[in-house]
Each structure stands twice: as C-alpha cells, then as structure tokens.
Amino acid sequence: MALILNGKELSQTLRAEIAQQVADFIQKTGVTPCLAAILVGDDPASQVYVRNKEKACAAVGMKSQLFRLPAETTEAQLLELVDQLNRDDSVHGILCQLPLPKHIPEKVILDAISADKDVDAFHPTNVGLILQGRPRFLPCTPFGIQEMLKRYGIETSGKHVVVLGRSDIVGKPMAAMMVQRGAGADSTVTVCHSRTKDLASITSQADILIVAIGKPKFVTAEMVKDGAVVVDVGINRTDAGLVGDVDFAAVEPKASAITPVPGGVGPLTITMLLGNTLKAANYKLGLN
Ligand code: NAP
C-alpha cells in the first residue's frame, strides 16, 4: 500500500500558514497584498480557475481584482492593461489566465508583465533566476510538488527524478528546480518527452517519477520501479470523470507514495499562487 500524498489536506495546512503570514504582513505594513487577474474571453474552464483564485485570495485575507476583457480584445489593449497594472502600486501580483484567444501572442503578454509582479514565474527573468538557483518566484505547480515532497519528508537528494513532459509550465521548471542544490532538490534529473526513445526503460529507473503529459492513465505499472514515488500532474476530463496521467489503480500497489487525481497536485497550485503574491508584496516593500 502506497502512502497517499494528500494535496488537499496539505493545501489546507499551507493556506492556514499563509493566512497567518498575511495577517502579520498587514499588521506590520498596513498594506493588503493584492493579486490582479486578467481573463480574456469566455473559456468556461478559465472562468472557474479565475473564480477559484479570487475565492482563495479572500480566504487568506488578500485582495484580488478581476479584469474581464471580451474575446475581441486586441493585443494593444491587453498590453495597455498590463502596463497600467505594472505601474499600480496597490497591485502586487499579476496573472493573465491562459489560454488567450488565438490572435493574441501569449509570449508577448507574459513578457510584458513586470518580473517583480510575475507570480506565475513565466517571465524570462524569473525563469533564468530559477535556472541559476536564485529564484524570485517559483512556478505554482512545480512549487507545490516540491513543497509536497518536502512536507512529506521524501528524500530527494541523490535520487533519480524522471520528469515526463517538457512544458514551460510544469516539466521544464520542475526539472530545473530538482537539479538545484539544497533542500527538496539535489536530485539527478532526466527529462522525457514525446520524442524520447524506449520511455519505459527510463521511467522505470525513477526513484521519483513526475508525470505531466495530459494523457489519461498513460503511465502503467510496467513503467514504474517498485517503491517509486509517483507524482501525477495530469488532469484529464474523461467520460469516467477526472483522471490523471497515471493509471492509479495499477501503479499504486507498486509505489511507495503516490498522488491521487483529484486531490493530489491540483489543490496545491492555487495555494502556491497565494504564497507568491504575498512574496511579491514583501518584495515591493523591500522586506525579502
Ligand atoms: P503540455 O503543454 O500539454 O505538454 C505535454 C508534454 O507531454 C509535452 O512535453 C509532450 O512532449 C509530452 N508528451 C505528450 N505525449 C507524450 C508521450 N506519449 N510520451 C512522452 N511524452 C509525451 O503539458 P502541461 O501543460 O504540463 O500539462 C500536462 C498535464 O498536466 C495536463 O493534463 C494538464 O491539465 C495538467 N496540469 C495540471 C496542473 C495542476 O495540477 N494544477 C497544472 C498544469 C498542468 P513534446 O514536448 O515532445 O510534445
């Protein structure tokens, strides 16, 4: 029986800690940390994500502002809003909910968000700082995974971490974080993707297997070493409901620890966004 890494429970613990830190911050500075969220168009999933982010801010005592723009918004109009938020001293964190409508190049918008307010850690400056081992912000999903490994006391030093998936949001930053020196890292890292040959021979060498590919139940028992720690980032909507990228029922008996879907990695992502927003407010006041 594998240890179930309960992201929902951990998320509640972390949010209680952040709420206390926010209260202390407000008492000390008289400033309430504020997250500005930009939502362009009416993608239903994005609307749910943004609403959840707003609720989460309120629950830990932070402010949030939602900027809803119609799908026809031009690149120039969106850049103008980003510029306005960059210059607004009462806004500490800015996020632009992805995906954007096709006519707006995401990179241009993400690059325009001030690196000091880039709580998603997508800005090239922040990505570079992560790679150099002196991060300002960590991207929320990999940050949540690393925090989970730490809080559950899972040894990462000298362990072979195999990251399956090389997205800019999860796979690449996850790999960059695990290879750094220090607590929750110091791992030997292999990154796999769709061009990787003989994938199972590599994943089955993993002490810690982190999967983010967006393919329901892709990782089977044969791909996992006995006693491995398995972290499933996948969120796939199927007829049978939400499933991860890992075949949980088949892999769980082989693993020493595993994240469920839902209730594993998912709840931690917004929690880390709250932590990043508080951090951004601290930066703004020169408290970091
Ligand atoms: P993505 O941008 O969709 O990229 C998928 C990655 O998986 C790519 O690097 C791709 O390789 C690789 N891949 C696809 N098929 C593969 C195969 N058959 N064998 C090996 N590699 C394969 O990924 P993402 O944005 O990181 O999302 C991945 C999953 O995580 C999705 O289910 C998403 O919903 C979920 N997710 C969850 C959270 C959360 O829990 N909060 C956050 C973000 C994402 P190539 O690069 O070669 O194409």
Side-chain angles (χ1 to χ4, degrees), residues 131-148:
L131 211 57
Q132 290 187 349
R134 49 184 186 129
R136 182 187 290 144
F137 301 112
L138 293 169
C140 302
T141 302
F143 190 9
I145 293 168
Q146 190 177 47
E147 192 62 24
M148 178 184 256

Side-chain angles (χ1 to χ4, degrees), residues 49 140-142 145 164-172 191-196 199 211-216 218 223 232-237 243-245 264-270:
Y49 291 142
C140 302
T141 302
I145 293 168
L164 183 45
R166 58 173 165 181
S167 69
D168 288 341
I169 296 178
V170 186
K172 274 194 262 179
V191 183
C192 301
H193 46 76
S194 69
R195 302 298 174 95
T196 299
L199 190 60
V211 189
I213 59 171
K215 296 258 178 328
F218 181 88
M223 297 171 76
D232 187 354
V233 186
I235 301 177
N236 306 291
R237 283 173 182 78
V243 295
D245 290 344
V265 173
L268 290 168
T269 298
I270 293 184

Side-chain angles (χ1 to χ4, degrees), residues 162-234:
V162 175
V163 181
L164 183 45
R166 58 173 165 181
S167 69
D168 288 341
I169 296 178
V170 186
K172 274 194 262 179
M174 187 82 248
M177 286 161 60
M178 297 310 292
V179 80
Q180 300 302 326
R181 293 188 173 85
D186 276 329
S187 307
T188 303
V189 180
T190 303
V191 183
C192 301
H193 46 76
S194 69
R195 302 298 174 95
T196 299
K197 301 246 186 301
D198 199 4
L199 190 60
S201 76
I202 300 171
T203 57
S204 57
Q205 292 171 40
D207 300 310
I208 301 173
L209 178 61
I210 302 175
V211 189
I213 59 171
K215 296 258 178 328
K217 298 189 183 183
F218 181 88
V219 172
T220 55
E222 300 69 50
M223 297 171 76
V224 176
K225 179 166 84 172
D226 270 324
V229 173
V230 180
V231 177
D232 187 354
V233 186

Side-chain angles (χ1 to χ4, degrees), residues 33-37 53-55 57-58 62-66:
C34 176
L35 175 69
K53 289 170 186 175
E54 280 191 290
K55 277 194 219 155
C57 282
M62 299 199 305
K63 282 189 209 160
S64 66
Q65 290 179 34
L66 174 58

